[in-house]
């Protein structure tokens, strides 16, 4: 499965760095192309010569290669790789990755990489269990990185517990499983996802908006893409980059999002309405900045199109639709009302009363309500993990529809 795969092996300063030699050997034996990048501290535990000999490439650790000024281009390295594997991952480098620090070639390559990232932490048991380590690993997972959990055994300190780097054979097995050719469950299906807020202009300076960051919708679009769906993402204003492999269209207002959704919804096998669309917009937009006066200001508002509800009226047999309800009170009552009113198959309920849920967080806690009365509750998870749970539900729902019977036949 790894033949001709281009693997960057990142090695950090840890006593477990000696295992990088065996891992390199196993990857080469699997006919992968291996490029080792070491942190400066890693050479205190294993020599660059050893890893260069085994990988058949120079082991890199510095930006500048020689006195003539030639350099190791971290951007090219990040684009070259099919996978970046950091094993062992030290607590020090983990903390830097979790917070975007970039003072080594390995970290710069990590921030430049567009490929899947696997990390295998290695540290003493108390370090591994420390709340900051747990939080940093959770942050890495929320970014979409894959954590190969530390294993149990005797540690360098003499203690016995969890903290050992995953065995090289286990890391190679995880890579082989990831690259194994399988038919993706939504191959051939088309999906529409809306995400982010809408901004409704008051004048050239001000607008009506909300705190949505788009993270949940983007995670759903990427999870659908990863299952083989042809995804169209309609995004309100966010700071998130366009996801790779997804047709992304940026809009500003509710009306623009509604107009942009018409054509892709007509072709979609499934549609996920995750955007936090403004319910009201100014009846008239001032052409000049409204100046402050001593009087109160009243701005007449009008309703915006309810995108999920309007498109729900055009829903065809075999088409699956999923909506979101972010509530602050009477949560279930309001969510079930939307489920019926908008002709949805599922409504995803999250409450601002749940810590870690809602806008701005990398985590979410959701309850799924189905039109058939089914209820599925999920614990607080990263939005990436929540997205995968929701996609699993969508796939299972599509399987029950005659129009998508090939989903079961191809499992």
């Amino acid at each position: 499965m790894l033949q001709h795969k281009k693997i960057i092996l990142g090695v950090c300063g840890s006593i477990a760095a000696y295992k990088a030699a065996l891992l390199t050997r196993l990857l080469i034996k699997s006919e992968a192309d291996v490029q080792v990048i070491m942190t400066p501290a890693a050479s205190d535990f294993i020599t660059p010569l050893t890893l260069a000999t085994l990988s058949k490439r120079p082991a890199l650790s510095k930006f500048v290669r020689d006195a003539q000024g030639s350099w190791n281009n971290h951007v090219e390295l990040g684009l070259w790789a099919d996978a970046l594997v950091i094993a062992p991952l030290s607590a020090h480098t983990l903390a830097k990755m979790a917070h975007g620090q970039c003072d080594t070639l390995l970290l710069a390559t990590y921030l430049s990489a567009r490929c899947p990232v696997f990390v295998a932490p290695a540290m003493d048991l108390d370090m591994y269990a420390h709340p900051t380590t747990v939080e940093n690993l959770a942050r890495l997972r929320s970014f979409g990185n894959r954590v190969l959990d530390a294993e149990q055994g005797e540690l360098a300190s003499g203690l016995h517990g969890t903290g050992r780097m995953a065995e090289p054979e286990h890391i190679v097995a995880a890579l082989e499983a990831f690259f194994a050719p399988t038919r993706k469950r939504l191959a051939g299906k088309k999906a529409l996802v809306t995400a982010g807020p809408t901004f409704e202009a008051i004048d050239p300076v001000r607008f009506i908006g909300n705190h949505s960051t788009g993270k949940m919708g983007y995670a759903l679009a990427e999870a659908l893409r990863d299952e083989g769906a042809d995804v169209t993402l309609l995004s309100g204003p966010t700071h998130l980059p366009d996801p790779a492999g997804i047709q992304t269209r940026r809009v500003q207002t509710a009306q623009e999002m509604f107009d942009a959704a018409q054509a892709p919804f007509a072709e979609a096998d499934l549609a996920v309405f995750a955007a936090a669309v403004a319910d009201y917009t100014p009846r008239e937009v001032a052409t000049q900045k409204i100046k402050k006066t001593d009087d109160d200001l009243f701005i007449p508002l009008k309703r915006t199109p309810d995108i999920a509800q309007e498109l729900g009226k055009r829903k065809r047999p075999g088409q699956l639709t999923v909506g979101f309800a972010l509530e602050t009170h009477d949560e279930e009552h309001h969510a079930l009302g939307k489920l019926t009113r908008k002709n949805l198959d599922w409504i995803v309920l999250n409450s601002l009363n749940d810590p870690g849920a809602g806008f701005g967080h990398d985590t979410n806690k959701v309850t799924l309500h189905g039109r058939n009365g089914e209820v599925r509750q999920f614990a607080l998870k990263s939005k990436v993990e929540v997205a995968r749970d929701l996609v699993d539900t969508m796939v299972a729902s599509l399987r029950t529809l005659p129009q998508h019977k090939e989903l079961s036949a191809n499992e």
Side-chain angles (χ1 to χ4, degrees), residues 89 141 171 196 228 324:
L89 172 65
R141 286 189 175 96
I171 295 173
F324 274 71

Side-chain angles (χ1 to χ4, degrees), residues 345-357:
D345 295 283
W346 293 94
I347 188 85
V348 183
L349 169 62
N350 48 191
S351 170
L352 283 180
N353 295 315
D354 291 326

Side-chain angles (χ1 to χ4, degrees), residues 38-367:
M38 306 173 67
T39 65
S43 60
D44 292 334
F45 296 89
I46 188 170
T47 67
L49 177 60
T50 297
L51 296 175
T53 301
L54 293 171
S55 67
K56 302 178 175 60
R57 294 171 180 267
L60 310 179
S61 62
K62 298 179 180 180
F63 288 98
V64 179
R65 193 180 304 157
D66 54 40
Q68 284 69 46
S70 60
W71 66 302
N72 296 310
N73 190 325
H74 58 280
V75 175
E76 289 183 359
L77 286 165
L79 296 176
W80 171 82
D82 294 309
L84 168 59
V85 182
I86 303 180
L89 172 65
S90 66
H92 186 59
T93 297
L94 165 62
K96 290 181 177 181
M97 291 174 68
H99 295 89
Q101 295 184 36
C102 183
D103 61 354
T104 67
L105 179 62
L106 177 58
L107 288 166
T109 303
Y110 161 68
L111 291 175
S112 302
R114 297 183 182 178
C115 61
V117 176
F118 299 78
V119 298
M123 61 197 76
D124 204 64
L125 63 93
D126 293 310
M127 297 171 66
Y128 189 65
H130 196 279
T132 54
T133 301
V134 173
E135 181 178 318
N136 287 338
L137 286 172
R139 283 179 64 84
L140 258 60
R141 286 189 175 96
S142 75
F143 302 155
N145 300 320
R146 293 162 173 83
V147 177
L148 306 176
D149 292 321
E151 299 178 358
Q152 279 198 339
E154 186 176 353
L155 305 173
S157 64
L159 299 175
H160 191 281
T162 303
R164 290 170 60 95
M165 185 185 97
E167 293 301 323
E169 295 86 353
H170 298 167
I171 295 173
V172 171
L175 290 170
E176 288 178 338
F178 178 81
F179 285 113
T182 56
R183 187 183 190 279
K184 297 184 176 181
R185 295 182 294 172
L186 293 176
K189 303 298 181 184
K190 292 187 176 182
L192 168 66
V193 179
T194 67
T198 64
F199 287 175
E200 310 298 325
I202 296 172
D203 61 21
V205 177
R206 306 175 182 89
F207 62 85
I208 298 171
N210 56 62
H211 297 297
S212 173
T213 61
K215 291 179 180 179
M216 191 69 253
Y218 276 59
L220 277 161
E222 291 177 321
L224 289 165
R225 174 205 62 197
D226 291 346
E227 285 292 350
D230 179 4
V231 182
T232 298
L233 173 63
L234 302 182
S235 174
T238 77
H239 296 294
L240 301 174
D242 290 358
I246 292 173
Q247 182 180 349
T248 303
R249 180 172 176 183
R250 302 275 181 168
V251 298
Q252 288 282 323
T253 68
Q255 186 65 51
E256 289 175 355
M257 185 172 284
F258 179 61
D259 293 341
Q262 307 297 314
F265 180 78
E267 299 180 352
D269 296 289
L270 61 152
V272 184
F273 302 106
V277 182
D279 295 322
Y280 295 90
T281 189
R283 188 171 294 279
E284 294 184 3
V285 179
T287 58
Q288 302 292 328
K289 179 183 176 182
I290 300 173
K291 304 304 292 183
K292 180 172 60 177
T293 68
D294 292 333
D295 297 326
D296 294 337
L297 176 66
F298 296 92
I299 302 175
L301 303 176
K302 64 180 180 179
R303 280 297 309 270
T304 60
D306 189 317
I307 298 173
Q309 184 168 324
E310 291 303 314
L311 294 181
K313 297 174 184 177
R314 309 175 199 176
K315 185 176 173 182
R316 65 180 189 276
Q319 195 172 32
L320 189 78
T321 55
V322 180
F324 274 71
L326 177 63
E327 304 294 343
T328 59
H329 66 285
D330 296 334
E331 290 97 337
E332 185 173 318
H333 172 75
H334 290 304
L336 293 177
K338 292 178 180 179
L339 177 70
T340 302
R341 189 168 64 252
K342 301 186 182 189
N343 193 23
L344 299 167
D345 295 283
W346 293 94
I347 188 85
V348 183
L349 169 62
N350 48 191
S351 170
L352 283 180
N353 295 315
D354 291 326
F359 295 147
H361 298 286
D362 292 323
T363 55
N364 207 354
K365 181 181 180 182
V366 304
T367 301

